[in-house]
Amino acid sequence: MRGARDPRSARVPTTASAPEPGLGAVLREWGRIGCIGFGGPPAHIALLRDLCVERRHWLSDHEFEDAIAATNLLPGPASTQLAIYCAWRVGGIPSAFLGGLSFIVPGLILILALAALFLAASPPDVVLGAGAGAGAAVPAVALQASARLAPASWRRTASRSRWIAYGLAGALAAAALGAWVVLVLLACGAVELTLQRSRSSDGGIAAVHAWPLLGVAGTGSGGLLALAWVAFKVGALSYGGGFVIIPLMQHDAVETYHWMTDAQFLNAVALGQITPGPVVHTVAVVGYASAGIGGGLLAALVAFAPSFAMVLTGARRFDVLRASPTVRAFLDGAGPAAIGAIAGAAIPLALALTETWQLAVLAAAAVALLVLRRGVVTTLIAAGAAGVLAAALSAPLPS
C-alpha cells in the first residue's frame, strides 16, 4: 500500500484509494478555494470537505472531522489552519506552504486593493457611503458569530454556571477593557484548568502557562514594531475566531497608535467579512492604514505565520492535543470567555457609529442576520448599498 510509510517522515500518507496530488494540483485547488471562499469559516470548511473528502478522496470523513476538531483547539484562524493541515496531509511540508499561501493570497490582494480605495485621502462620497453602511452592520455580524458558537459550547461545558461567568467576563472585557481582553480569556482558561485539576490527578500537557506573559509583553512604541506586535496578537492569541481580537485591534489601531478612525476601522472589519479567504485579513487593512502596502503585507505575514508554525510543528501531535485533559480544561474556560468577547465586541463597534441612519442600518442588519438567518456577505453588501443610497440623498457621512 502506498500509504505504509514511516510516521516519522516529513509527510503523512493520504487515503489509499486516492493518488497523491502534485504541487500544481495543490496550487490550483487551494487557490480556487481562496478565490471563492466567501462567507468565513463555515464556507471554507464546506469547500475543503468537498475537495479533500468528497471529490478527490485525499482524506476520509473521519480524518477530516478530526482535523476540524484539532485546529479548533488552537489559537488563531481555524479555517486557515485547516487549509494548511489538509494540504500537509495530502502532500507534506511543500504542499502545506503552497496550499496555505494559495488560500490566503487571493483575498489578501483584494482586501489591500479595497483598503487603498476606502482609506484614500479623499474618497468619493459613494465610497464613504458604502463603507459607512457596511460598517454599520458589523456589530450585528459580531452578535451573529457569538450566537452561532454558543450552543455547541453550552452543550459540552463541565459547569453551566461557570460557563455563564466566563462568558460574562469575556463580554465585559471586550466592551470595557479592549487591549486586555486576551488576558481575561487566558485567565478564564487558567481558572477552569485549576478547578478541574483540583478534581483530577492527571496533569496532562502543561503547555499553556507561558501564554499570559505574551498578553503584557507588547510595545509602547509606534511604527513597524508596534504593527508587528498587533498583527502577532491577532494571529496567535485569537481563541474562538477573528472577532475575539477585534476589541484589542480597535484599541491599538484607533486609540493607541491613531492609525485610523473608528469609521475606518469599521470599514476594515466589513472588508474582512466580504472578501474571500480568512477574516483575519482585516489586520492587513490596519497595516495599510499604518504603513501603506508594505504595512499591509507585513501585518498579514506576521498574523498568519503562527498558523503555519503551529500546524507544521504540531500536526503530528494533534491526536495528543485533542486527548489532553489540560488543553480541554483550559478551553472549557477560555472558550466561553471567547464567545462572550465576540458578543461584547459589538458594544464598542456600535458605539463607533456616529450617524443616526447608521443605527437604522444596524437594526435592519440585526433582523436580517439573527431573525431572518440571511448570510453575512449578503447582509453586508445590502448594508453597503444602503450607505450608497444615504450618500446619494446627501445624508451626513462619518469622517
Side-chain angles (χ1 to χ4, degrees):
M1 182 186 299
R2 183 172 189 171
R5 299 180 182 175
D6 185 345
R8 296 169 296 178
S9 65
R11 65 206 310 173
V12 170
T14 58
T15 304
S17 60
E20 187 176 285
L23 292 179
V26 171
L27 175 64
R28 181 177 64 255
E29 296 291 357
W30 269 254
R32 179 182 63 85
I33 293 173
C35 289
I36 67 172
F38 294 91
H44 305 156
I45 292 171
L47 289 167
L48 286 167
R49 181 192 294 276
D50 177 69
L51 169 66
C52 295
V53 177
E54 297 178 8
R55 289 197 291 114
R56 296 300 189 97
H57 306 292
W58 288 329
L59 279 75
S60 70
D61 189 69
H62 179 71
E63 288 169 334
F64 189 81
E65 293 296 332
D66 283 350
I68 295 173
T71 51
N72 277 322
L73 294 176
L74 301 175
S79 63
T80 301
Q81 292 162 351
L82 180 64
I84 297 169
Y85 179 79
C86 288
W88 177 78
R89 282 296 309 269
V90 303
I93 292 176
S95 289
F97 276 109
L98 185 61
L101 290 174
S102 300
F103 175 73
I104 292 167
V105 167
L108 177 62
I109 293 173
L110 179 57
I111 202 169
L112 287 175
L114 291 172
L117 177 65
F118 280 86
L119 299 181
S122 299
D125 284 351
V126 65
V127 172
L128 289 175
V138 166
V141 175
L143 289 177
Q144 187 221 35
S146 177
R148 292 178 66 175
L149 291 170
S153 177
W154 177 260
R155 286 193 297 269
R156 65 174 178 264
T157 185
S159 167
R160 293 190 170 181
S161 60
R162 294 202 300 271
W163 191 99
I164 294 171
Y166 298 142
L168 288 174
L172 291 173
L177 299 181
W180 302 102
V181 65
V182 171
L183 281 182
V184 174
L185 266 60
L186 294 170
C188 289
V191 168
E192 183 64 21
L193 174 59
T194 301
L195 291 173
Q196 293 196 26
R197 275 190 167 181
S198 68
R199 299 183 179 91
S200 172
S201 60
D202 185 358
I205 300 174
V208 299
H209 303 297
W211 280 95
L213 299 179
L214 294 175
V216 295
T219 174
S221 63
L224 295 181
L225 183 60
L227 176 60
W229 173 242
V230 172
F232 176 77
K233 288 185 287 187
V234 170
L237 299 178
S238 53
Y239 291 95
F243 261 110
V244 171
I245 212 75
I246 290 297
L248 184 150
M249 196 172 8
Q250 183 180 23
H251 183 276
D252 286 348
V254 177
E255 299 178 25
T256 301
Y257 300 114
H258 308 290
W259 292 326
M260 55 204 319
T261 65
D262 274 320
Q264 289 172 330
F265 183 78
L266 283 170
N267 289 350
V269 179
L271 292 177
Q273 293 287 322
I274 65 173
T275 48
V279 295
V280 172
H281 278 150
T282 297
V283 77
V285 185
V286 174
Y288 182 90
S290 170
I293 290 292
L297 293 174
L298 173 65
L301 174 64
V302 174
F304 288 111
S307 291
F308 282 92
M310 282 186 282
V311 172
L312 294 179
T313 61
R316 297 188 180 285
R317 300 176 181 86
F318 275 6
D319 288 344
V320 177
L321 179 70
R322 289 192 63 202
S324 168
T326 296
V327 174
R328 287 289 186 183
F330 177 81
L331 291 176
D332 281 346
I339 293 170
I342 294 172
I347 296 176
L349 291 172
L351 292 176
L353 302 177
T354 58
E355 307 301 337
T356 302
W357 66 266
Q358 289 183 292
L359 298 179
V361 173
L362 172 58
V367 171
L369 291 169
L370 301 173
V371 179
L372 302 179
R373 309 287 186 179
R374 296 293 185 260
V376 170
V377 174
T378 302
T379 300
L380 287 171
I381 291 175
V388 171
L389 178 61
L393 296 174
S394 301
L397 299 174
S399 56

